Amino acid sequence: MQRLTNRQIVLGITGGIAAYKSAELTRLLKGAGADVRVVMTPAATEFITPLTLQALSGNPVHLHLLDTEAEAGMGHIELAKWADLVLIAPASADFMARMAAGQGNDLLTTLCLATDAPICLAPAMNQAMWRDDTTQENAKKLEARGVKLFGPASGEQACGDTGPGRMMEPVELAELAAHQFERGLLTGKTVFITAGPTREPLDPVRYISNHSSGKMGYALAEAAIDAGAKVKLISGPVNLAAPDRVERVSVQSAEDMLAASLDGLEQCDIFIASAAVADYRPTAIAEHKIKKGNEEIMELHLVKNPDIVATVASRADKPFTVGFAAETQDVLSYARGKLERKNLDMIVANDVSRSDIGFNSDENAVTLVTADADLELPQASKRQLAGQLIAHIAQSYYKVR
Ligand code: C5P
């Protein structure tokens, strides 16, 4: 079920006694890392309360098509676009008939018309209703349009009958939902990425920082998400929006960044340190704005910051750890030195003396250095390069883990 990590699933619930099992299904999907938004038909609310599903999904439940308040939050078209998968469980005979007829007379049918996401139905109804010619025709029509049917299972029914029409069990439905997604290189893995500069305050209005834009780290976060990973992006102050589906933790100083990096580190499989961390910080932060004096020279006292990536890599349960080495000369030899000194598994070396790549630029060119090999990745956009880097990092990670 690892394939459900970061996936956005609309769970449609229609009116049937099996609706009570949708609570368990919601819990399973959520537990497997999916973001679940529940849409209920009016009949479904007769069997299970929206409050239960709201509590289990952690998201508001969507009930009405023509509700101004709900539409102002996430309207039916947005919801249709948001979904990576629409799973309707239970799907009643009435719902299947309305969907087969192309109706859009409630939120769920409208959403099915509007979405480009795959749609899967878990039919659940009395065995005679399932066997009925019209229901069978509707099922075939839907399948011919690419809708997937999960089940129904056969067995004892709530009404006392025995036969086909039982909803499949939630655990089976969650497995089938997971199989609708391809496995990515990092499916099921958790990646922490530090990005951007740090700010080391001098007084309430001033700080020491650097020109790092955070673009490389943010591009890596997107690439890791595309590869199926769960990503925590620990970011210094930058002018970039948080990539979709990434958990961004915003920090200011190196000490904040270290604390955020160590928080939950036991869950981290791969740690990528792309942040430009200030090496030193002022020994003390003045309580009030430092006033200009008569002296021509002002001295600042600085103290060394903790080395975040080295701290992470020094742990007994260290994740696969990747650092960056931005150098202006002897790039590779400095990078190799850092690899060893900081106990890293890989270092991404780049030459920041060139103005066309590196720091604030949209492009970069790097050399990947590991204990036994160097690999040059030629100049490309940071987004493209990030995809290649994640692929190489994943490959090296699986070699040792
Ligand atoms: O030692 P140097 O700053 O050149 O090393 C760069 C690498 O170490 C980068 O991966 C950077 O994110 C990381 N680093 C860190 N904490 C520091 C300094 C650097 O994590 N205090």
Side-chain angles (χ1 to χ4, degrees), residues 5-208:
T5 309
N6 298 325
R7 303 298 183 180
Q8 296 177 169
I9 298 184
V10 165
L11 175 62
I13 306 179
T14 72
I17 182 61
Y20 80 92
K21 292 188 181 175
S22 308
E24 176 66 358
L25 178 56
T26 306
R27 204 185 59 77
L28 289 171
L29 295 171
K30 183 102 195 311
D35 193 359
V36 182
R37 284 189 170 261
V38 175
V39 175
M40 298 176 81
T41 62
T45 62
E46 303 286 336
F47 292 93
I48 185 166
T49 73
L51 196 61
T52 304
L53 295 153
Q54 179 174 311
L56 291 170
S57 68
N59 280 320
V61 170
H62 304 261
L63 299 168
H64 307 290
L65 179 59
L66 304 172
D67 176 331
T68 41
E69 213 172 282
E71 288 287 298
M74 192 185 261
H76 64 287
I77 300 295
E78 266 172 290
L79 207 48
K81 287 187 182 151
W82 177 86
D84 295 325
L85 178 79
V86 177
L87 170 62
I88 298 163
S92 65
D94 173 65
F95 180 80
M96 289 175 66
R98 288 189 292 123
M99 197 178 160
Q103 289 196 7
N105 53 359
D106 63 8
L107 178 58
L108 193 54
T109 45
T110 313
L111 193 144
C112 288
L113 287 175
T115 195
D116 287 331
I119 303 176
C120 305
L121 303 184
M125 63 198 73
N126 166 271
Q127 52 84 24
M129 289 169 77
W130 171 252
R131 279 203 266 249
D132 178 80
D133 286 348
T134 330
T135 307
Q136 287 301 308
E137 260 172 46
N138 289 335
K140 285 199 184 77
K141 247 192 221 174
L142 290 169
E143 279 185 313
R145 280 185 218 149
V147 172
K148 290 217 168 97
L149 296 193
F150 294 167
S154 220
E156 200 183 311
Q157 300 206 295
C159 54
D161 282 4
T162 304
R166 278 171 60 94
M167 186 169 90
M168 289 181 87
E169 291 305 319
V171 67
E172 296 170 307
L173 291 175
E175 283 286 350
L176 286 169
H179 279 91
Q180 304 311 303
F181 298 104
E182 286 187 9
R183 261 195 100 76
L185 267 177
L186 291 177
T187 292
K189 301 294 167 207
T190 298
V191 178
F192 284 13
I193 300 173
T194 67
T198 62
R199 274 184 188 170
E200 309 301 332
L202 273 163
D203 68 16
V205 293
R206 302 185 183 93
Y207 54 80
I208 297 173

Side-chain angles (χ1 to χ4, degrees), residues 194 254 257 271-279 305-310 322-327 338 341-342 344 347:
T194 67
M257 190 173 268
F271 187 93
I272 306 175
S274 71
V277 184
D279 291 326
N305 263 329
D307 191 311
I308 299 166
V309 76
V322 182
F324 273 69
E327 303 293 344
K338 265 176 215 173
R341 205 170 53 250
K342 300 193 186 205
L344 307 179
I347 198 148

Side-chain angles (χ1 to χ4, degrees), residues 203 206 286 288-295 298:
D203 68 16
R206 302 185 183 93
H288 298 289
K289 185 180 169 193
I290 302 167
K291 289 296 190 199
K292 187 163 41 187
N294 288 329
E295 59 278 357
M298 182 192 188

